[in-house]
Amino acid sequence: MENIKIKAHAALFGSGLLFGANYWIAKGLMPGTMQPMQIIFVRGFAAMILFWLLSASMQPLRIYRSDHIKLILCSLLGIAINQICFFTGLNYTSPVDTSLIHAGSPLMVIAFSAVIAGESVTTVKITGILAGGAGAILLILQGSGSAAAENQLLGNTLILINITAYSLYLVLVKPLMMKYNAVTVMKWVFLYGFLMVIPFSAKDAFSINWQGFTPSAWLSLGYIVVGTTFLAYLLTTFSLKALSAGVAGYYIYMQPVIAAAIGIFMFGEALSTAKIAAGILIFAGIYLVNRPAGIKTNAGKG
């Protein structure tokens, strides 16, 4: 079991790295090369094909009819609402504001987990979440915020809806992961999710100027499709086999660390004492969030 948990944490770490870079990569494509709905259409279609191709190489697994209703709800939250609000919101606001709002996701996941799934919320876990949140906010506030924001209020509102939907998705998809494998869950989630976004994105998708794509734009789009869609969703869903939705949600705190690292190594931002302190707070929080089982055992003896 410990080996499975180690792999689950490694999967969440990997998905955190992928999502962390996505703020800048996705923002770089919009609006000059692609519009938000164009990215959503291409991303959803390509990921759906990749998951179904991967599932074709595996033993078929029957999904109970009642679980298809749950998969549709997960698709609505985790794909349709999440992605439409994320890319549209990011188009209007800055990566800095986006990552700041995302820092509230672990608290949302813990709240949804407690109310819907009945997961216990320990003092140690809350301490870890608050430590990580403080680190994330401290780190984000060090950013230059140089990216232009066309309509900050609208963009930030959409990002808040995006992260609320994704936090609820993490809680609702966990029971499905306890019954089926990650690929099976994802192939249906992305099929239903893609069908949901077609009415909003199909028209824009047919006006993509493929001839105007530079090599850099192709690489960015490939990263969004393969990295932050196919691999990141697969890794996150796989992790829910062994870890709670709250722990999975907590790894969102990694994303501002990655965003800051990109600023330091690619855009020459200074590595300040505040950034180092923020990183220590975030990873100390990760340690605390993963201590509840042992803490509860000791508390029970008292």
Side-chain angles (χ1 to χ4, degrees), residues 6 39 61 71 80 91 95 108-109 118 134 146 148 183 187 215 262-263 280:
I6 291 172
I39 295 178
L61 192 61
L71 286 166
N91 189 46
M108 292 183 187
V109 174
S146 57
V183 175
K187 79 173 187 178
I262 291 173
I280 291 172

Side-chain angles (χ1 to χ4, degrees), residues 35-45 84 193-208 210:
Q35 297 299 316
M37 289 300 173
Q38 294 173 335
I39 295 178
I40 290 165
F41 184 94
V42 173
R43 183 188 195 192
F45 177 74
I84 288 174
F194 179 65
L195 293 175
M196 290 176 190
V197 302
I198 285 177
F200 304 97
S201 59
K203 181 179 178 181
D204 288 340
F206 286 107
S207 63
I208 297 174
W210 296 109

Side-chain angles (χ1 to χ4, degrees), residues 109-126:
V109 174
I110 290 296
F112 287 139
S113 296
V115 173
I116 297 172
E119 290 187 8
S120 62
V121 182
T122 65
T123 303
V124 174
K125 182 178 288 188
I126 292 297

Side-chain angles (χ1 to χ4, degrees), residues 74-95:
C74 288
S75 302
L76 175 65
L77 294 167
I79 306 299
I81 296 176
N82 172 34
Q83 294 193 9
I84 288 174
C85 290
F86 174 78
F87 283 99
T88 307
L90 183 60
N91 189 46
Y92 289 122
T93 190
S94 69

